[in-house]
Amino acid sequence: MKAKALFLVIYLGISLMLFSLFDANIGVWFSFLGSQLLLTIILCLHLFVDKEFSPFLSAYIVFFFLFFTVAPIVQINSLEPNAKFMTNFPYRPDLVIYTNIMTCLFHTVFIVSYFFFKKVPSLRKIPKISERLKGVLPVWILILFGISLGVFVISIGFVLNEISRPSWMASPYSTALLLIYKKVLFLLPFAGVLLCVQYLVKDKKKALNFVVAIALMLGFLVLLLWFKNPLTEKRNALGPIYISLIFLFLPKLLNTNFKTLFFLFFTMVILFPLSAIFTHSDATFEEIYKDPMIFFEQMKGGGITSAFNTLNYDAFANFMTTIDYVQQEGLTWGHQLLSGLFFFVPRGIWESKPDTTGIFIGDYLISDYRFGYNNLSNPFPSEGYINFGIVGVILMAILLALVIVKLLSWLKSTDYIKKIMAFYFAIHLIFLLRGDFANAYSYYIGILAGVWVLPKLIGKTLEWFSSKSSHGKKPE
């Protein structure tokens, strides 16, 4: 309890510092304050009231604090009168206030829906792995390891190209092949690791099988590192995988609401911005040490401002741009959701397939505000707004709460694949909330296909053969 109270004091201290340095008109100032108060209520419910382990709320709180409080306040503080955000979108106090009102609406509907759905019995049924499926685990693991080795062999050229190719250079491989390799097949070793752990926690197992399972698990980990590393994958894709592995092997490090909230808050809200102060500031570490006020001055300009005035923190500005688009052009009435829901349909077949909302709003900024880049983020509430307006914001909040509550049951499952995929979603949630929806949704579905669907098909097939074999045996 003392640690939780200390964390709350630190959280409130950072908030107080932000708002005390926030130089904006009274309407903008209070709109951010209202949004922050609601988020603080959610934080207190998460830490002190809700006894159920929910890393999803930890990710939710950290995302909105960083991208909808800290980043926009620092950005607005650095603007001159009539200046523009990093996307060339002009600063409009009325639009900032309206965006915060929509954010407050999203917070309210989400947290009410979250606690409501937690009381629905049909959503709280905990999935379990069948005894027959446990019985085929050794064969299941061996088959998956063989498939993973096959993927390794046929993809060597692809991986070497990914390692040597600069990030700005387009891949010579087709989009379909990129998706199949990177979002599905390269995740099979991850499923293999989970199945090995599933076997190792069994009550009864042979000593030889135990040694073999350990060896295979190490093999799966080596393959996973080969497929998923900083040279072949972006950090927002690597983070959820390796943090999930930490939770798998060292669960006590991240198995409470406080631990996950502290971990995500420390890394994303404190560590990254602090490092930005020293990498972007003209002042040396010794100067900051001798005069700590330099640190606080960075909130008004310099190091931390430079870090936050990048497209890494464009979520709030893009929500404003989306609202502006709707005011000028009207709602899309679900059209913008199609590119995400049907991401698997190639453009060669569906020529009129909509662009993702990030690209769509980026093109709007290019045509109307002379911006020069269109591959932008678009936060989750904004996706609801561009499709159905205020009703869309409400629907997206309800949908998010529903999915999270369902995954709370997965998190308690004895099936390690479902358990870890639920935790993975909690970390991935930061990416989903930042958007855009199509990219974040398609990536998680790809992960599910590689870690859950394909391995489960193998397991269910083995289970079926096992049942046929046992039924076919004649009683002695």
Side-chain angles (χ1 to χ4, degrees):
M1 183 62 74
K2 289 183 179 179
K4 291 180 182 179
L6 178 60
F7 176 83
L8 182 61
V9 169
I10 294 172
Y11 173 85
L12 293 175
I14 294 174
S15 302
L16 180 63
M17 181 180 67
L18 276 171
F19 282 93
S20 64
L21 296 172
F22 190 21
D23 185 16
N25 75 47
I26 194 70
V28 169
W29 197 92
F30 273 104
S31 71
F32 275 105
L33 180 63
S35 176
Q36 180 60 14
L37 286 175
L38 274 174
L39 192 63
T40 303
I41 291 171
I42 295 173
L43 183 146
C44 290
L45 290 172
H46 181 50
L47 280 184
F48 301 105
V49 178
D50 191 10
K51 303 302 180 183
E52 186 172 9
F53 176 47
S54 179
F56 313 98
L57 280 191
S58 297
Y60 180 97
I61 291 163
V62 169
F63 169 80
F64 277 101
F65 182 70
L66 180 59
F67 288 88
F68 275 66
T69 299
V70 177
I73 285 179
V74 172
Q75 290 162 8
I76 292 171
N77 258 354
S78 68
L79 295 176
E80 299 296 331
N82 301 316
K84 300 174 182 179
F85 288 92
M86 77 292 291
T87 59
N88 237 27
F89 188 77
Y91 171 60
R92 286 173 45 190
D94 61 321
L95 202 52
V96 173
I97 293 169
Y98 187 74
T99 304
N100 276 321
I101 291 173
M102 290 299 100
T103 305
C104 289
L105 177 64
F106 188 86
H107 286 330
T108 304
V109 175
F110 168 76
I111 200 62
V112 170
S113 301
Y114 173 78
F115 282 106
F116 171 79
F117 287 136
K118 286 185 71 173
K119 297 178 181 179
V120 178
S122 60
L123 295 174
R124 307 314 315 273
K125 186 177 179 181
I126 299 174
K128 298 180 179 179
I129 187 170
S130 69
E131 290 302 318
R132 192 179 297 277
L133 204 54
K134 287 182 181 179
V136 300
L137 266 173
V139 180
W140 190 2
I141 291 169
L142 284 172
I143 291 175
L144 196 60
F145 189 72
I147 295 173
S148 297
L149 283 177
V151 172
F152 167 75
V153 171
I154 65 174
S155 67
I156 287 179
F158 176 89
V159 174
L160 291 176
N161 177 266
E162 287 294 293
I163 292 173
S164 61
R165 178 173 60 88
S167 59
W168 52 265
M169 184 184 294
S171 173
Y173 297 93
S174 68
T175 302
L177 189 62
L178 282 168
L179 291 175
I180 292 171
Y181 270 145
K182 301 188 74 171
K183 295 188 178 182
V184 181
L185 295 180
F186 286 178
L187 272 300
L188 290 176
F190 190 21
V193 173
L194 302 181
L195 291 179
C196 287
V197 173
Q198 184 84 62
Y199 178 79
L200 292 170
V201 298
K202 284 179 61 177
D203 293 330
K204 297 179 181 179
K205 48 186 173 286
K206 296 178 181 179
L208 179 60
N209 287 353
F210 178 84
V211 173
V212 172
I214 291 290
L216 288 172
M217 184 174 68
L218 292 174
F220 279 124
L221 285 170
V222 170
L223 287 172
L224 182 62
L225 184 61
W226 168 256
F227 291 139
K228 296 291 180 179
N229 61 75
L231 298 176
T232 62
E233 194 61 270
K234 296 178 180 178
R235 64 182 182 183
N236 60 1
L238 293 176
I241 293 173
Y242 289 101
I243 294 172
S244 295
L245 288 176
I246 292 173
F247 177 71
L248 175 67
F249 292 114
L250 301 168
K252 290 185 178 180
L253 292 179
L254 296 169
N255 63 351
T256 68
N257 291 338
F258 170 70
K259 290 175 182 177
T260 53
L261 182 60
F262 176 81
F263 172 76
L264 292 173
F265 189 90
F266 179 78
T267 54
M268 296 201 66
V269 178
I270 297 178
L271 189 62
F272 290 164
L274 275 179
S275 64
I277 289 178
F278 298 110
T279 57
H280 291 82
S281 178
D282 293 331
T284 65
F285 177 81
E286 184 179 358
E287 289 171 336
I288 294 176
Y289 176 77
K290 291 180 178 179
D291 184 8
M293 285 306 298
I294 294 176
F295 172 86
F296 296 102
E297 286 300 318
Q298 302 302 318
M299 296 298 298
K300 299 286 284 184
I304 200 166
T305 300
S306 299
F308 280 118
N309 273 298
T310 66
L311 294 180
N312 292 324
Y313 299 97
D314 62 351
F316 188 88
N318 290 339
F319 193 1
M320 285 194 299
T321 308
T322 301
I323 294 171
D324 180 68
Y325 171 85
V326 170
Q327 290 175 349
Q328 301 298 324
E329 306 292 338
L331 300 171
T332 62
W333 299 109
H335 187 256
Q336 278 308 120
L337 291 175
L338 297 179
S339 61
L341 296 176
F342 300 100
F343 68 90
F344 50 86
V345 180
R347 289 192 181 275
I349 298 174
W350 184 7
E351 294 183 359
S352 60
K353 183 179 178 180
D355 288 324
T356 65
T357 305
I359 291 177
F360 185 76
I361 292 300
D363 287 338
Y364 174 66
L365 283 165
I366 291 171
S367 63
D368 285 43
Y369 295 99
R370 297 182 180 179
F371 191 51
Y373 186 69
N374 71 347
N375 191 13
L376 304 176
S377 70
N378 201 268
F380 198 70
S382 178
E383 295 275 3
Y385 193 88
I386 195 172
N387 284 285
F388 305 109
I390 295 175
V391 174
V393 173
I394 294 171
L395 290 176
M396 294 299 263
I398 294 172
L399 176 63
L400 181 63
L402 179 64
V403 170
I404 285 176
V405 170
K406 182 61 179 177
L407 290 178
L408 280 173
S409 300
W410 278 33
L411 196 59
K412 296 179 179 179
S413 176
T414 56
D415 183 335
Y416 270 74
I417 288 181
K418 286 189 174 181
K419 182 185 185 74
I420 298 303
M421 286 314 298
F423 186 85
Y424 179 98
F425 182 85
I427 309 302
H428 178 75
L429 184 58
I430 294 175
F431 179 28
L432 177 65
L433 289 171
R434 181 173 178 262
D436 56 21
F437 170 76
N439 283 301
Y441 174 77
S442 64
Y443 196 90
Y444 186 71
I445 296 300
I447 293 286
L448 279 180
V451 180
W452 181 47
V453 177
L454 290 182
K456 282 293 183 180
L457 283 175
I458 298 170
K460 288 295 183 181
T461 302
L462 292 172
E463 185 182 26
W464 182 81
F465 277 114
S466 175
S467 65
K468 287 291 182 181
S469 176
S470 61
H471 288 151
K473 288 181 179 180
K474 294 182 180 180
E476 297 180 0

